[in-house]
Amino acid sequence: MIVRFLRVAFLVSFGTSSVLAGDQTGPFLAEPYLQLGHSAGVGKLDLLWLSTDADLAWKVEYRPGRHKGWRSTPGPRFRTVRVEGMPPHRVYEVTLRDLPPGSNFSYRVSLGDRLVFESEARAPKSAGQPHRFVAFGDCGDGSPNQKAIAHRAFQAHPDLVLIPGDIVYDRGRATEYRDRFWPIFNADAPSPDAGAPLMRSTLFVAAPGNHDIGARDLGKYPDGLSYFYYWSQPINGPEGREGGPMTSPLVGPESNRLAFREAAGPAFPRMANFSFDFGDVHWTVLDSNPSVNWNDPELRRWVAQDLAIAKGAPWRFVTFHHPGFHSSRSHGEEEQMRTLAPVFEAGKVSLVFSGHVHNYQRSYPLSFLPDAASTRSDFKKDRRVAGRWTLDRTFDGRTDTTPEGVIYLVTGAGGRHLYNPEQQDDTASWKEFTVKHVSKVFSMTVVDVDGQAVRVQQVGAEGQVIDQFVISR
Ligand SMILES: [Fe+2]
């Protein structure tokens, strides 16, 4: 309610301003949202927002603990997005520091002395603190299903929301974020018909999917690839260079490529892969688009080293968009991420979260040995990966909670139309490694983590639990 009041106050006071004339939503093109920032760290979050390309007297204050006074951040830094097809606008960013891990804190944004936004939020959890996160992919299409899942996620009170790719349809364009992302995941009030005030209060992390960064043609979509300027995630992955094994070249007129590069800054191309710690989990986030060659020895070494450095963390989870192990007929041939299975096994990964396939699937704990032809380091266009899997069929997540191998989850039922509902009850159509396949309802994954155990529930849009299991160390 308070935000609504502030908006009204803002319009009364600033509605005639030449800078903001015609703007119906106050000073923001997207209201403030929380991110890890390019360098994640304990007690730290970045706050971002979008506004017009005009010099305004922004001020951000926050109270990093219940009994502390208000503290001002240094003036916001910003990057200007000047891409064809939309007015120039700015992505503002400030860093909030010294947040006690896991604490609730308040922040407020002012223009001059006038308050224009305020919210409560939760600081990231650190090692030793139990936490809950929610994961769902393939979400940002503006549909009623997306709104219902956003609202359901809000009701779960997560410490973290994870999107394993296909953040915004159809092409991850800046213009598409306006209708299909910000208003729903950062709505002013929670409602199953509208969405929820999630992004202002809860850290969001995303892996880029094919709809986000697969299309490289900036001639066709000058405002495409906006993942690289609207998200602020760690820049600690492999460096990558255009045309190399990690990054296919940008396409389109030079002026469009230049405009994109200026908007993205250091985030392109490196921010497509990164890692971070949250609570007792070390997360590795990867770009699974088929243009990336995960058979490249250097890229594989980066994943292996990232997991090895994190070996002291109680849990190691990985997320990327294209699942290596799933049973749907749709996208059945896209097995390219299977080649990393041995790296995950060596790195003692427990869970892998993907999307791309718009339903929910769980594998048996498994290990996988790809055959030699599938792991040649030169780029392989065929996305099939043959090999042999070994399944732990004794793990049931109730009486036996110690999996032998990696459990692969598909949680791609976050809003976009569902895939292959006819396969839910047709167990004969499932691959041997699939133990659960729910493709008739929209759903999200709710995970409660502590240092000893992880409890996973798959929750439908109506709140029904459609799968659950526990893993223990
Ligand atoms: Fe996808």
Side-chain angles (χ1 to χ4, degrees):
M1 283 308 287
I2 188 147
V3 171
R4 287 207 165 149
F5 168 75
L6 291 169
R7 274 184 162 190
V8 170
F10 180 87
L11 285 170
V12 168
S13 306
F14 290 79
T16 55
S17 155
S18 59
V19 171
L20 300 158
D23 182 349
Q24 298 302 302
T25 58
F28 300 108
L29 296 170
E31 289 177 327
Y33 59 102
L34 296 166
Q35 296 276 279
L36 284 168
H38 287 337
S39 57
V42 175
K44 173 186 164 298
L45 275 177
D46 278 17
L47 185 70
L48 285 78
W49 66 94
L50 309 187
S51 188
T52 53
D53 184 25
D55 292 327
L56 300 175
W58 295 104
K59 185 167 76 177
V60 176
E61 298 162 292
Y62 65 109
R63 208 155 44 176
R66 193 161 294 194
H67 305 295
K68 298 271 173 64
W70 289 96
R71 180 193 289 199
S72 294
T73 67
R77 51 199 186 272
F78 68 88
R79 208 166 270 288
T80 306
V81 179
R82 281 193 192 87
V83 296
E84 219 178 273
M86 66 193 310
H89 60 285
R90 295 183 184 181
V91 182
Y92 284 95
E93 185 162 355
V94 294
T95 300
L96 313 177
R97 299 180 189 281
D98 303 324
L99 303 169
S103 67
N104 293 332
F105 67 94
S106 309
Y107 65 88
R108 60 193 187 192
V109 181
S110 306
L111 275 177
D113 292 331
R114 194 171 303 274
L115 188 61
V116 292
F117 188 90
E118 65 180 349
S119 182
E120 301 285 314
R122 177 91 46 85
K125 294 275 173 81
S126 63
Q129 292 183 310
H131 75 277
R132 164 175 283 192
F133 71 89
V134 163
F136 51 80
D138 309 83
C139 48
D141 69 344
S143 66
N145 317 311
Q146 178 197 359
K147 294 168 185 170
I149 291 292
H151 182 247
R152 186 63 59 190
F154 183 73
Q155 288 183 317
H157 298 295
D159 297 292
L160 167 71
V161 175
L162 177 83
I163 302 181
D166 283 3
I167 306 162
V168 170
Y169 289 89
D170 281 326
R171 299 286 169 188
R173 299 169 66 177
T175 42
E176 292 168 338
Y177 272 76
R178 300 264 167 109
D179 302 328
R180 302 175 173 189
F181 193 74
W182 310 121
I184 295 163
F185 290 128
N186 210 6
D188 284 340
S191 152
D193 302 323
L198 270 168
M199 295 194 82
R200 68 192 59 193
S201 57
T202 310
L203 172 65
F204 268 51
V205 173
N210 53 305
H211 284 273
D212 306 303
I213 66 167
R216 300 278 165 150
D217 189 344
L218 294 163
K220 210 166 170 186
Y221 308 112
D223 62 332
L225 297 169
S226 62
Y227 165 79
F228 289 104
Y229 47 78
Y230 283 168
W231 290 77
S232 181
Q233 310 203 94
I235 299 186
N236 61 7
E239 283 197 21
R241 58 179 170 78
E242 267 191 79
M246 194 187 99
T247 308
S248 56
L250 297 174
V251 179
E254 194 181 342
S255 57
N256 291 25
R257 284 182 280 139
L258 196 62
F260 164 72
R261 283 179 186 289
E262 281 183 359
F268 179 79
R270 203 169 169 191
M271 200 179 72
N273 301 280
F274 61 93
S275 67
F276 68 101
D277 296 311
F278 195 101
D280 284 319
V281 180
H282 177 77
W283 281 98
T284 309
V285 182
L286 302 177
D287 175 5
S288 58
N289 279 290
S291 54
V292 181
N293 178 10
W294 283 112
N295 284 342
D296 177 75
E298 267 188 49
L299 290 185
R300 293 176 76 84
R301 201 172 305 131
W302 181 82
V303 179
Q305 281 176 357
D306 182 71
L307 293 170
I309 291 166
K311 67 175 187 290
W315 303 102
R316 279 161 297 286
F317 298 167
V318 175
T319 185
F320 49 79
H321 184 58
H322 302 67
F325 299 94
H326 75 88
S327 283
S328 287
R329 294 186 181 104
S330 307
H331 298 313
E333 76 292 356
E334 298 179 39
E335 300 172 344
Q336 67 268 19
M337 293 308 280
R338 288 186 181 186
T339 65
L340 277 176
V343 181
F344 299 157
E345 292 155 28
K348 301 272 187 276
V349 170
S350 298
L351 293 170
V352 173
F353 297 81
S354 295
H356 196 46
V357 172
H358 302 176
N359 52 42
Y360 169 71
Q361 297 180 45
R362 165 158 65 105
S363 78
Y364 287 102
L366 67 84
S367 51
F368 179 75
L369 191 63
D371 65 19
S374 298
T375 51
R376 283 178 15 211
S377 62
D378 53 326
F379 188 70
K380 182 174 164 297
K381 275 221 154 69
D382 173 13
R383 293 177 286 181
R384 290 274 184 201
V385 177
R388 259 182 317 114
W389 52 70
T390 306
L391 308 180
D392 174 4
R393 292 177 184 274
T394 61
F395 172 87
D396 61 8
R398 287 177 290 110
T399 54
D400 179 345
T401 59
T402 50
E404 294 284 323
V406 181
I407 296 174
Y408 291 87
L409 297 178
V410 175
T411 183
R416 194 64 160 167
H417 62 85
L418 296 168
Y419 282 0
N420 305 106
E422 77 285 357
Q423 284 186 263
Q424 177 168 313
D425 303 315
D426 179 12
T427 53
S429 74
W430 302 0
K431 303 250 172 70
E432 193 193 0
F433 49 71
T434 295
V435 68
K436 195 86 185 182
H437 187 298
V438 182
S439 48
K440 290 183 180 174
V441 294
F442 293 93
S443 66
M444 63 182 188
T445 314
V446 181
V447 185
D448 292 297
V449 183
D450 68 31
Q452 293 306 311
V454 174
R455 176 167 166 259
V456 180
Q457 297 177 86
Q458 193 69 18
V459 177
E462 308 293 323
Q464 72 279 35
V465 176
I466 58 177
D467 187 25
Q468 56 185 324
F469 62 95
V470 171
I471 55 176
S472 310
R473 291 179 73 210

